[in-house]
Amino acid sequence: MKEFIIKTAWPMVPPRPYSAFHICIMAAGFLAAVLAAYFLSRKTERKYFIRLLFFCGLILAASEIYKQLFLYYVVNQEKYDWWYFPFQLCSLPMYFCLLLPLIKNRRLQLIILTFMQDFNLLGGIMALAEPSGLLHPYWFLTLHGLLWHILLIFIGLLIGFSHESDSSFSGYVSTLPLFLICCGIATLINVTAKPLGQADMFYISPYYPNNQAVFYNISQKLGVLPGNIIYLLSICAGGLLFHMIFARLFRHAARS
């Protein structure tokens, strides 16, 4: 496995954000995600809809395992870097999609689907819009980062187009406890991994300023904790915006 991974470590000059490479992949991927989500939402029965999301989870999990091995053997010379531990906001669909077939409670399923529609669609779009963390000196890592977030967009749109989320305002509110639980897990990882490395799950480490665009400056001026709170509130606002967009689409479809 080690030898195979090393053979696939094809180097590249890291593309610049908003270069032709970035824009072409982003535009083509976004178009493919929209068309695939729209088509499959019209053709897929609910039992196959859950299986389709589970299949997406398998793709995400397999690619993440390979990424972790790639980072371990190629990038970090057989040392584990906690910065890349797979529990960012954009990592959550990997876990949720794999868990969905095991969850029999329809209400809990609905909360998870609504969460992925609102928050992970937001995460996929924002990561592609500000891709500095996705562009690496290896083809595999660069393509993995870009295609991962394109798949998140597909998952969010598929859920929305299939009307499998709760479009009410209370439906959005019901996702907030799940978001807070995930934030708590991320904080626990950040704190417990501190002696081992620079873990920064959800970019809310209590030890470092938020490294996301704009929010880094806020953390520098106001402090780490206020910066993290503003960052999380901004994510909630972004999730609400996407929820309102889909709610409007649902109402329009119902009138039609």
Side-chain angles (χ1 to χ4, degrees), residues 96-141:
F96 290 152
C97 288
L98 292 176
L99 287 173
L100 274 174
L102 304 177
I103 297 173
K104 303 307 178 183
N105 184 292
R106 173 61 178 144
R107 180 58 184 165
L108 182 55
Q109 266 195 356
L110 192 61
I111 291 172
I112 292 174
L113 291 171
T114 305
F115 181 94
M116 288 197 289
Q117 172 197 270
D118 297 344
F119 287 91
N120 295 127
L121 178 57
L122 168 70
I125 291 176
M126 294 306 295
L128 291 177
E130 203 295 291
S132 57
L134 308 180
L135 307 176
H136 300 275
Y138 294 99
W139 277 99
F140 169 74
L141 292 179

Side-chain angles (χ1 to χ4, degrees), residues 39-83:
F39 175 78
L40 289 171
S41 70
R42 297 294 183 269
K43 303 293 183 180
T44 306
E45 299 178 13
R46 191 174 194 284
K47 63 178 180 179
Y48 297 114
F49 167 80
I50 296 296
R51 293 178 186 177
L52 178 57
L53 290 181
F54 178 75
F55 180 69
C56 291
L58 289 178
I59 294 175
L60 292 171
S63 66
E64 182 61 34
I65 290 171
Y66 195 90
K67 174 189 172 183
Q68 293 294 322
L69 292 171
F70 190 97
L71 291 166
Y72 182 77
Y73 286 120
V74 175
V75 178
N76 298 315
Q77 290 76 51
E78 301 190 26
K79 296 179 181 177
Y80 190 75
D81 187 349
W82 280 87
W83 179 270

